[in-house]
Amino acid sequence: MRSGLLVKLALLLAVFGILSSGITGYYAFTANRTMLVSAAQGDLLTAARGVNRRLQQAEEEAADDAMLLARLVQVAQVINGQGGSQMQRARDELAQAFAGMLALHPEYLQVRLIGAADNGLELVRVDSSGGLTLRVDGADLQEKGHFPYVFETLALPAGQIYQSAIGINHERAAHDAEGRPGMMVATPLPRSDGQPGGLLVINLDLERLLGQLRADLPKGYQLYMANRWGDFLVHPDPAQTFGFEQGRRILMQDSFAATQPLFERKLNNLALSGLEQPQQAAERVMAFVRQPVGLGNRDDFVVTGLVQPLDAVLESAVPLGQRIIHMVLAFSAIAILLAVVFARALLRPINTLAQAASSFSDTQLQQVLPVERNDEIGVLARNFDRMQRQINSHMASLYDNQRELSYLAHHDSLTGLANRALFFQRLEQLLQLSQRNGAPFAVLFVDLDHFKEVNDLHGHAIGDQVLQIVARRLLHTVRGSDMVARMGGDEYLILLQGNFTDAALAELMNKLRQSIGEAMTVSGQRLEVGASIGYSLYPRDGTTAEQLVNEADHAMYHVKAGMRGGEANSLSCR
Amino acid sequence: MAFNKISLLTGVIGCLLCCQLAVAKDVLRVLAWPGYADPDVVHAFEQRFQVSVEVTFVDSDEALWAKMHASSGPHFDVLAANTAEMQRYFAAGLLKPLDPALLPNTRRQLPRFRNLAAIPGLQQQGRLYAVPFTYSTMGIIYDRRQFPVPPDTMNVLWDPRYRHKVLDFNSGQHNFSFTALASGIGQPFRLSAAQQGMLVQRLIALRRNVLTFYSLPEEGTELFIRHKIALMFGNYGTQQLNSLRQAGADVGYAIPREGVLAWLDCWAMTAASSKPRLAQQWINYMLEPAVSALLPTRQGLANTLSASDELKPGAKVLWLQPVENAAQREALWQKIYSGDRPGSF
């Protein structure tokens, strides 16, 4: 029973300890993973913004270069179409300047001056060809008026910058630029009369820009980029890019459904992870940023995305997870140990109390209890101790009462002598004993003479005192081992153990009569009483208590009858 | 209790296995374009014929050709391709003739599509090889505010009154074909060298008259609205018309009197098919009114059963055919598109 409670308590405490350490460990682990993923998302977003910023920077640099070239005096000469030979010299000088610019910037594929007249005929053109600069001139110059970068730029006010969407360059004979993804950065060139005269355009190489960007990105990052319709421009698999060029739409929102709101212009950026959005970003962490391109009124943008495998992000969570498992196991073991120790410590005083209770119920002996404790067990022990004391005191008074009752039941209240019942009880015991060992004994019957007159003459109070004095005198006369009892009224019985001869008995009875007959002073009055005494002997006169008492009574009666009218109290002749 | 559950589960699995074995469903393998075999349509067919259908989608003629020539993987039973491609597939011996008796729904088709001889690519050596399913014309989309009367000729694209108000599609094949039509050439898909030379000059003239060339339908719509375009060669046909109207443009659709180029996608059965009856049941099912009706509502494409507002019954249609030399047309077009001047050809 007690060990059952110990096991239960220990189990409860152990389970509680294991659970709390397990749950703490689990939460620490998940919180760590969430933090890692959220940090990775932040990193990816920052990196994606960095990619966009770098692209924007490249575009701004190209724009600055275009503006710089546009301010050359030769540009105005060519645009305004002044003179033949002077014009040709201006073109040659421009070509040299363009070539210098190309040589300086490997990410530039073409630098051109395109006229507004003649369907957008190129006026000065320098291409990058196999990494070198190549001037294109004469019949090889082409009409470009139908390309958006031409007609859109011509429509702009002076000093503005046009920036095209990113696309594959399909202009044949564009040398290095042909078939490569890129964008055009252009600025309009007004004639001296204010009419559009042409434009200066620089062709930027996206692959070269991205190549530098990719090299700067942390390992394991995958770079994606899509135009405003979602067509992939950059994808780890080049076959997935510029699908629209072949009439196929390979869209970012199909591969990454979560990016749809970016293309609906509802969001500017987005970060997802396989931890929180397992359906949209299974096993990956990704961030997408929408970046406006070119002038604000064109509402063009690209979406740049960076994707990282979730495993790579969570890799650093693995050692911590293992450490947490070890810690949880260790704490669980400690919890079990502590639970056992604690349960035992908690149950020890309870066991003490239980033992005290069981020992008290067996022996009424009070054990040492932990009453000095200040806790609930101390209160219990003190209460239990008090209860024990109360029980003990109640028991003691109960025994006293019982003894008193028993005394009252066997003694005469007036004289303090044994009463008839106790006398017969002792007589029966003695009979049983004597029947076995044959020991003889005697019963004496004492009756006071003329006691009625004492009562009538002096009152009951005096009579009672006389009875008490007689009782004391009887007790003093017989041996300590003999029994003197009051039968009631003025009759007394005496039980004498031992083998008595009639002579010895006669002598004893004389002593008794003398003792009773001595004068006594009661309440200032001198009184004298006599007594008649009869006796019976066991086994001579009877073998039952009744017989023996009756025989003694009869003998006393004979004595009284013989003595009636006489002065002296004499022994019967029996 | 646990025993009961396990025995019940075993029973159910057993039953399923038995059913699977007893039926051993046929599998029909379909090679199609997105939107031609939507899951609900496929499911209804599977239910009706108690078969299983596997649909593989392709998004370009090249991808379709590659799938048909894949050495590994299962053989397809039916495919959807345009009339020009069908001629290629027939020439390569990849098609099996169809039995018109198994295709009763062809009787529901418009007269234009039942006149098999008028559509090259459907019949070969007097036998039926392909059944028309959906089509799109490449008419002229015009701004109704700039044209009180719809234009009725292709030559309006060259009209200097609309200089830089015209949009054309960036495609060598179609541009040569419709310029040939506009120039009164009867066989726009079979051009002679001389005709080609003449058309190059006309295309340069067109280049000088257009604002630009578009590729994507969205791009066309955006340019049309932003630059207040008057006319546009509608390469994407009625789909493009719908998207322009959704974008708020007040546009009309004209079929020029010289005729209109159009692609016509057909269903055909592969030579490798081992289930010709089931394959033809599929083709016949595709021509059911409830199935074909999904083309206009879901895809914005016309079907072959009901008349379309954009294509009047008498209008002249030139269904696309393989051209005399696609690579050559494309090379010439690249030069034109890049801005080469007339003298450099």
Side-chain angles (χ1 to χ4, degrees), chain B:
Chain B
M1 197 63 200
F3 173 76
N4 280 345
K5 273 183 188 167
I6 289 168
S7 56
L8 188 71
L9 197 68
T10 318
V12 168
I13 292 170
C15 266
L16 286 175
L17 280 175
C18 286
C19 294
Q20 207 67 28
L21 287 173
V23 174
K25 281 184 180 178
D26 275 342
V27 178
L28 183 74
R29 293 189 174 82
V30 176
L31 191 55
W33 297 70
Y36 287 12
D38 285 346
D40 54 335
V41 170
V42 170
H43 184 70
F45 181 81
E46 287 177 330
Q47 291 289 303
R48 192 190 300 178
F49 294 97
Q50 286 303 302
V51 292
S52 175
V53 177
E54 285 178 16
V55 184
T56 304
F57 290 113
V58 291
D59 56 3
S60 69
D61 287 334
E62 288 73 25
L64 186 71
W65 185 256
K67 290 269 183 216
M68 284 294 287
H69 283 80
S71 50
S72 62
H75 291 298
F76 293 99
D77 295 296
V78 281
L79 78 156
N82 68 41
T83 44
E85 291 295 309
M86 282 300 179
Q87 295 184 42
R88 260 172 99 195
Y89 287 108
F90 172 78
L94 294 171
L95 303 183
K96 198 179 267 188
L98 300 169
D99 179 0
L102 290 174
L103 304 165
N105 281 334
T106 51
R107 288 196 288 272
R108 300 174 191 264
Q109 290 183 302
L110 296 169
R112 185 191 291 282
F113 301 104
R114 294 176 63 190
N115 186 6
L116 302 174
I119 306 175
L122 301 185
Q123 284 184 317
Q124 303 286 351
Q125 297 151 358
R127 301 194 70 175
L128 179 65
Y129 276 86
V131 174
F133 174 56
T134 181
Y135 67 93
S136 179
T137 55
M138 302 179 192
I140 293 171
I141 296 170
Y142 61 94
D143 179 4
R144 287 213 279 222
R145 284 169 301 194
Q146 298 183 54
F147 283 90
V149 180
D152 71 337
T153 168
M154 233 24 181
N155 286 305
V156 74
L157 296 176
W158 281 263
D159 190 331
R161 280 181 298 174
Y162 303 110
R163 185 156 192 246
H164 298 168
K165 292 281 172 196
V166 177
L167 287 181
D168 186 18
F169 183 65
N170 183 3
S171 153
Q173 291 207 21
H174 298 341
N175 283 341
F176 271 97
S177 297
F178 83 71
T179 304
L181 275 180
S183 308
I185 294 170
Q187 295 282 336
F189 307 112
R190 293 271 172 271
L191 297 177
S192 68
Q195 284 170 332
Q196 259 183 6
M198 184 271 286
L199 291 175
V200 163
Q201 298 306 316
R202 282 218 74 190
L203 281 170
I204 289 173
L206 179 64
R207 182 188 77 199
R208 289 170 173 173
N209 208 46
V210 300
L211 176 71
T212 190
F213 300 93
Y214 69 91
S215 296
L216 301 174
E218 298 95 315
E219 197 185 351
T221 301
E222 205 173 279
L223 286 163
F224 194 97
I225 289 172
R226 212 160 74 79
H227 293 280
K228 298 180 175 62
I229 295 299
L231 284 162
M232 176 185 209
F233 172 72
N235 183 69
Y236 300 99
T238 49
Q239 282 179 313
Q240 206 170 359
L241 188 68
N242 292 338
S243 89
L244 271 163
R245 282 179 177 153
Q246 272 168 21
D250 181 12
V251 286
Y253 193 76
I255 303 290
R257 61 168 180 266
E258 296 92 354
V260 68
L261 298 177
W263 55 258
L264 175 62
D265 271 6
C266 307
W267 285 106
M269 175 166 58
T270 64
S273 176
S274 56
K275 295 172 275 286
R277 193 176 181 83
L278 188 59
Q280 289 175 90
Q281 276 165 341
W282 170 267
I283 295 171
N284 192 50
Y285 172 72
M286 284 288 116
L287 295 179
E288 285 194 0
V291 176
S292 275
L294 297 176
L295 289 167
T297 57
R298 288 191 187 168
Q299 309 301 327
L301 292 172
N303 66 38
T304 57
L305 305 185
S306 46
S308 134
D309 289 343
E310 282 75 30
L311 187 64
K312 301 285 176 284
K316 185 182 171 191
V317 179
L318 286 103
W319 304 110
L320 292 182
Q321 288 186 49
V323 298
E324 72 290 331
N325 188 339
Q328 193 184 22
R329 280 194 185 191
E330 208 48 55
L332 285 171
W333 171 248
Q334 277 312 313
K335 290 185 74 171
I336 298 165
Y337 174 75
S338 300
D340 281 13
R341 284 177 283 173
S344 62
F345 286 87

Side-chain angles (χ1 to χ4, degrees), chain A residues 112 135 165 543:
Chain A
R112 291 174 290 168
R135 185 179 177 190
T543 51

